[in-house]
Amino acid sequence: MAFVRNAWYLGAYAREIVAGQLFPRTLLGDAVVFYRDDAGKIVALADLCPHRFASLHRGQLSGNDVECAYHGLRFGPSGECTFNPHGSGKIPATARVRTYPVEVKYDRVWIWMGDSELMDRSKLPKLDHFESPAMRTLDGLMKINAHYVLALDNLMDLSHTQFIHKEFLASDYLRGTLDVQDEGEGVLVSVWIPNGSAPPNFKLVMKNPDEPVDHWIETRWFSPATVTIDFGTTAVGAPRSEGIFSIGVHIVTPETESSSHYFYANSRSFALDDPTVDEQRRTFQERAFREQDGPIIENCFQNMGTGDLFSLQPVLLSSDAGAIRVRRRIESMVADEARAFAGTGVHA
Ligand code: FES
Ligand SMILES: [Fe+2]
């Protein structure tokens, strides 16, 4: 299953790109090197010297430029060769590397992996709760050896929380009302579970953990690879605004056809300054994402050998509705891009 290219993907946390250092990361199959210029602005170049194809990240920074480790050509932030130490020093016209548009938003580095001319800042994700003083966020990054769309499948069908994550998230989810719909350009899966038991993660901070609650989960997919999960409880019959909630943000950037960078974050509306709750949430992220989701997704991908689920004629369940809708949307965006690239359709 091909990737949507004309889109913003999360390339790195801004903190990963340290002044004076070259930071390589493969994204959508492209080797990319990030660095900060003299003013601290983040630059992304193809991580490949056009001379003998050494990886540029093996070189070093020289002011605003990257100097290739092998024969010393230097390339600047716009990709042009700025220095040739050989012969007359003339710079060959072909001595340039691809650059990628980058934007820093929410302390995260977003990279446009397609045609720079189609770059559209209005399509950057809107995740303003990251900046809210009323939320406490803990985040992290893990690698998953699977096609990224399997991670999206996992997120769009949270019925798996009742099985693989039951120690943290078991509730009366399976008797809740599931609703799947388009929401703007995204997809929303919502589950409403009235008068049921709270998940263990929430019981930890409830005064009366055994009291029934109204519980909601709203999972939103935003193209191409961001999923937010609004997960909360309130007293039975009380408005949601009186309850407590957390917002999970899961952003999965393909590394290759068979591996992904999985950026996760959890922001909560309660116990903001409580280190014990931080610890509980960290444990949840470590166990649920790294030890439960990651390995089962990798297991499925190994057995499937492809990201193309439908080619394997899988059994489909009612809980798959959100994941299928997202897959169809991605497939149609990929097809639009392929048509535009072939010059047979409207330019995407
Ligand atoms: S490979 Fe980079 S200068 Fe030769
Ligand atoms: Fe999960």
Side-chain angles (χ1 to χ4, degrees), residues 66-346:
V66 182
E67 181 180 291
C68 180
Y70 204 2
H71 312 97
L73 286 178
R74 290 185 197 157
F75 300 91
S78 59
E80 81 285 8
C81 178
T82 55
F83 181 67
N84 171 8
H86 304 275
S88 68
K90 187 170 179 300
I91 292 177
T94 52
R96 53 178 306 111
V97 294
R98 177 176 179 184
T99 62
Y100 296 83
V102 291
E103 288 288 326
V104 177
K105 192 175 179 188
Y106 310 121
D107 296 325
R108 287 154 170 81
V109 183
W110 306 89
I111 180 166
W112 183 268
M113 295 301 294
D115 181 347
S116 320
E117 301 217 329
L118 301 176
M119 186 264 280
D120 181 353
R121 287 193 182 81
S122 73
K123 292 191 170 161
L124 281 161
K126 293 171 188 64
L127 300 165
D128 289 346
H129 71 275
F130 278 147
E131 294 177 336
S132 165
M135 304 290 287
R136 162 96 175 130
T137 298
L138 300 171
D139 60 33
L141 170 61
M142 67 175 179
K143 177 88 169 284
I144 293 193
N145 289 313
H147 192 287
Y148 87 112
V149 85
L150 270 76
L152 299 183
D153 288 340
N154 176 66
L155 292 159
M156 298 311 292
D157 174 10
L158 291 182
S159 65
H160 78 269
T161 58
Q162 301 306 302
F163 300 93
I164 202 159
H165 306 312
K166 55 177 173 280
E167 70 192 278
F168 304 108
L169 297 174
S171 69
D172 288 318
Y173 181 102
L174 296 175
R175 66 162 185 75
T177 314
L178 176 76
D179 183 57
V180 178
Q181 54 183 283
D182 291 338
E183 186 185 58
E185 293 185 357
V187 170
L188 166 64
V189 176
S190 44
V191 183
W192 172 247
I193 309 124
N195 195 16
S197 100
N201 258 5
F202 278 68
K203 285 186 174 173
L204 287 170
V205 293
M206 285 167 61
K207 275 203 204 86
N208 301 310
D210 293 326
E211 263 181 20
V213 291
D214 290 345
H215 176 32
W216 70 89
I217 304 173
E218 290 179 354
T219 308
R220 290 180 166 82
W221 168 79
F222 302 95
S223 170
T226 297
V227 175
T228 65
I229 303 173
D230 176 341
F231 194 97
T233 61
T234 192
V236 173
R240 279 171 48 162
S241 56
E242 289 177 12
I244 55 175
F245 67 99
S246 65
I247 299 180
V249 176
H250 303 249
I251 305 171
V252 195
T253 303
E255 178 180 54
T256 65
E257 291 274 350
S258 56
S259 59
S260 311
H261 307 286
Y262 190 124
F263 299 86
Y264 55 81
N266 182 277
S267 309
R268 62 179 193 266
S269 71
F270 50 89
L272 303 189
D273 300 316
D274 188 335
T276 315
V277 179
D278 278 359
E279 196 52 43
Q280 290 160 356
R281 293 272 147 174
R282 286 248 179 252
T283 302
F284 165 66
Q285 291 176 329
E286 286 293 315
R287 293 267 298 130
F289 305 159
R290 293 177 179 275
E291 296 174 22
Q292 295 171 349
D293 285 323
I296 198 87
I297 292 169
E298 290 177 347
N299 167 243
C300 294
F301 184 67
Q302 253 186 348
N303 291 335
M304 290 166 67
T306 172
D308 184 0
L309 176 74
F310 302 122
S311 69
L312 302 174
Q313 297 174 317
V315 169
L316 293 176
L317 306 176
S318 56
S319 57
D320 286 313
I324 289 173
R325 194 173 291 223
V326 166
R327 275 181 173 268
R328 295 289 187 216
R329 294 281 288 276
I330 291 173
E331 280 172 357
S332 113
M333 286 188 289
V334 168
D336 285 350
E337 285 193 356
R339 266 195 302 277
F341 189 70
T344 56
V346 181

Side-chain angles (χ1 to χ4, degrees), residues 51-78:
H51 174 227
R52 292 287 174 166
F53 308 105
S55 297
L56 288 176
H57 78 264
R58 301 172 72 99
Q60 59 183 1
L61 277 169
S62 169
N64 272 334
D65 302 342
V66 182
E67 181 180 291
C68 180
Y70 204 2
H71 312 97
L73 286 178
R74 290 185 197 157
F75 300 91
S78 59

